[in-house]
Amino acid sequence: MKKYVIIGNGAAAVGAIEGIRSVDKEGGITVISREPCHVYARPLISYLLQGKTDKKRMLYRPESFYEDNGVKVMYGRAAVKIDPEGKKVKLDSGEEVNYDKLLSACGSDPFVPAFEGIETVKNRFGFMTLSDAEALEKELSEDKSVLIMGAGLIGLKCAEGIAERVGKITVCDLAPRVLSSILDADCASLMQERLEKEGIEFLLDDTAVRFDGNKAYMKSGKEVSFDILITAVGVRANISLLKEAGADCGRGIVTDEKMQTSLKDIYAAGDCAESVDSTSGQRKVMAIMPLAYMQGRCAGVNMAGGEEIIDNAMPMNSIGFFGLHCMSAGTYEGECYEEKGEGYIKRLYTKDNLLKGFILIGKNARAGIYTAMIRNKTPLDSVDFETLKKTPSLAPMGKSYRTEKLGGVV
Amino acid sequence: MKRVYVNEKWCLGCRLCEYNCAYANSGDTDMVRALRGKKINPNIVVEEYGDINFAVSCRHCADPICVKSCISGALSKEDGMIKVDHDKCVGCLTCVLVCPYGCIKEGEHGAVSKCELCLENSCGEPACVKGCPNRAIVFEDRG
Ligand SMILES: Cc1cc2nc3c(=O)[nH]c(=O)nc-3n(C[C@H](O)[C@H](O)[C@H](O)COP(=O)(O)OP(=O)(O)OC[C@H]3O[C@@H](n4cnc5c(N)ncnc54)[C@H](O)[C@@H]3O)c2cc1C
Ligand code: SF4
Ligand code: SF4
């Protein structure tokens, strides 16, 4: 009987458990979970504060999940060392766990730069975990002002989550626009306007250089008073365990198409892993939930002796703020087809006879047809792209595609 | 398992399936009251392309990318049928971003909506197929 050990208990771990069990119903699976709780949907912590979900509904898998899959979870334990020769993992409790196949699914941790005086700030929170959200929730009240550092996905989702529950929110970011890693200036300003309508204020191209108690001194010379400080400036892949064990690491743990690391019998998946973005050919950490699950699943299948590869990974995101949704996928290079209207932008990027990426704000019905064209590398001259670029639909994909997809099992 | 399959050469584009779908999922027992004056938002959509028409609904994929991508765990496969848990869904639309066939969409009350083969409503079998006068959609087991 094989012994599988998974470090971490997020989406990648769940994917791995389901992947392993699709091949091997017998082997023992042990999950080492630093967080002391059943797996929950991490992106839902902002919806929790918004009252759109609760702790029970935000469980990523049913309560019986571990039992159903014969998984032993060691809650509240962290892996501190991996011995790849002896094939064992050492925990913070001093215990050792032996493995035949090991998966690092330990995600990323927030990164907080060493701002001068940050230790003088009493009410300071990160926004990554359920316990972060619960701690923050205790401090929320309508007379309080909040400063959020970071106008990326996490900072803005936090802003949306607490907007109704605090007096004032200011968001600052060193970048000149919101969501700078996924949006260009035009698209970003559309999203920013939507957030501003809810009273959220922005200080862009600006950051705190010093803190003193409840005050932030900004690079621009401005001073911002706050009751609550939320730091969401960035995350870093948790690579140290594997790096110390000798695995190749860049920003993330380097993996191949099977999610295997450079070390024998050790795999990595999710936010801690680095893999090839098929739309740009570059290796990167793509920290998104769907990929975390799929990489975990792929790793699990391979760990259990099955065969699966991922050769079509790409960055993609669907995020909404106060009802305005923004979808993005792939790489923004090549020729751009644009449509624009009130509260609406569509941008499709094509190059070398392929759809490479897109941004859709405001209207997004059937967007997955575009995503599939990127993922499948559909040659544009094999479809009626003139029709497709206006309306994502299946008819312009051609008769044989329709017959296969609508007349058979897919 | 049985799924809804398309015979595009028989489809006249009459959109009866769209209406039957909207009615079956309205929870109402009176079709006129359920649909009159309302913009329908059915889980099956008729495409028109030159003289080609056909009705598309969820393929109930054997390897469903929507389920793998759902950020909340609201989508699941139950006896081959792909289901939405409306209480869990937070309406992030990640599933809309990944469904290759454009078969899942924004619904009401902040959750997405998709074809559940009328197994979750009182109809019990796909209302779209039952009402199609031309057998341009059929409910069959093709594996
Ligand atoms: C507020 C917020 C909103 C988000 N919104 C979206 C969204 O809308 N769409 C989207 O696609 N993505 C979103 N994401 C990103 C998404 O949550 C991540 O990509 C996903 O959770 C990654 O899954 P994972 O399993 O790789 O890592 P994680 O979910 O981070 O799980 C890793 C686990 O490993 C544990 N761990 C770490 N080190 C150790 C150790 N040494 N020993 C034991 N355990 C350890 C950690 O405590 C953690 O529980 C969001 C993230 C946040 C924080
Ligand atoms: S919603 Fe789309 S991806 Fe999901 S099962 Fe249906 S057709 Fe497949
Ligand atoms: S919209 Fe709902 S069902 Fe779709 S991915 Fe988001 S939470 Fe899951």
Side-chain angles (χ1 to χ4, degrees), chain A residues 49-77:
Chain A
L49 297 184
Q50 218 177 350
K52 289 195 167 174
T53 190
D54 54 43
K55 274 173 77 174
K56 200 166 159 64
R57 283 185 287 162
M58 74 191 279
L59 296 183
Y60 184 57
R61 285 297 182 267
E63 254 155 321
S64 61
F65 176 73
Y66 303 112
E67 204 191 318
D68 295 347
N69 286 288
V71 176
K72 175 180 165 197
V73 190
M74 303 177 79
Y75 286 112
R77 304 275 169 77

Side-chain angles (χ1 to χ4, degrees), chain A residues 372-389:
Chain A
M373 288 177 69
I374 303 177
R375 189 185 301 111
N376 301 338
K377 298 196 161 69
T378 307
L380 296 184
D381 60 9
S382 71
V383 298
D384 171 6
F385 190 61
E386 283 310 301
T387 303
L388 272 168
K389 69 185 185 189

Side-chain angles (χ1 to χ4, degrees), chain A residues 7-13 32-35 42-43 45-46 77-80 105-109 127-128 153-154 157 238 241 269-272 287-290 292 316-319, chain B residues 71 92 94:
Chain A
I7 306 174
N9 187 22
I32 302 162
S33 173
R34 194 175 61 184
E35 287 183 86
R42 185 168 311 289
I45 58 173
S46 69
R77 304 275 169 77
V80 291
C106 51
S108 50
D109 277 337
F127 201 63
M128 275 295 282
L153 175 105
I154 294 176
K157 267 299 186 192
N238 286 327
L241 279 177
D271 284 13
C272 65
I288 50 173
M289 194 83 174
M316 61 178 181
N317 245 302
S318 173
I319 32 167
Chain B
I71 71 161
C92 71
T94 302

Side-chain angles (χ1 to χ4, degrees), chain A residues 41 57 59 293 316-318 325 327 366 368-369 371 375 384 393-395 399 402 405-410, chain B residues 5-6 8 47 49 52 54 59 61-62 65 68 71 87-88 91-93 96-102 142-143:
Chain A
R57 283 185 287 162
L59 296 183
Y293 175 86
M316 61 178 181
N317 245 302
S318 173
H325 283 274
M327 290 187 182
R366 308 190 84 188
I369 293 176
T371 312
R375 189 185 301 111
D384 171 6
S393 44
L394 300 180
K399 173 101 181 154
R402 298 196 302 268
K405 305 300 183 188
L406 305 179
V409 178
V410 288
Chain B
Y5 295 102
V6 174
E8 75 177 39
E47 285 195 23
Y49 182 69
I52 298 164
F54 56 90
R59 309 321 301 144
C61 300
I65 192 167
K68 290 177 168 179
I71 71 161
D87 285 335
K88 282 177 77 80
C92 71
L93 308 186
V96 176
L97 174 65
V98 299
C99 170
Y101 312 111
R142 296 188 184 173

Side-chain angles (χ1 to χ4, degrees), chain A residues 31 51 78 85 90 92 104 120 164 188 208 227 272 298 335 356 380:
Chain A
V31 167
E85 270 85 50
K90 200 169 167 201
D92 54 356
S104 165
T120 66
E164 291 280 305
D227 302 299
C272 65
C298 174
E335 222 176 292
K356 295 297 249 181
L380 296 184

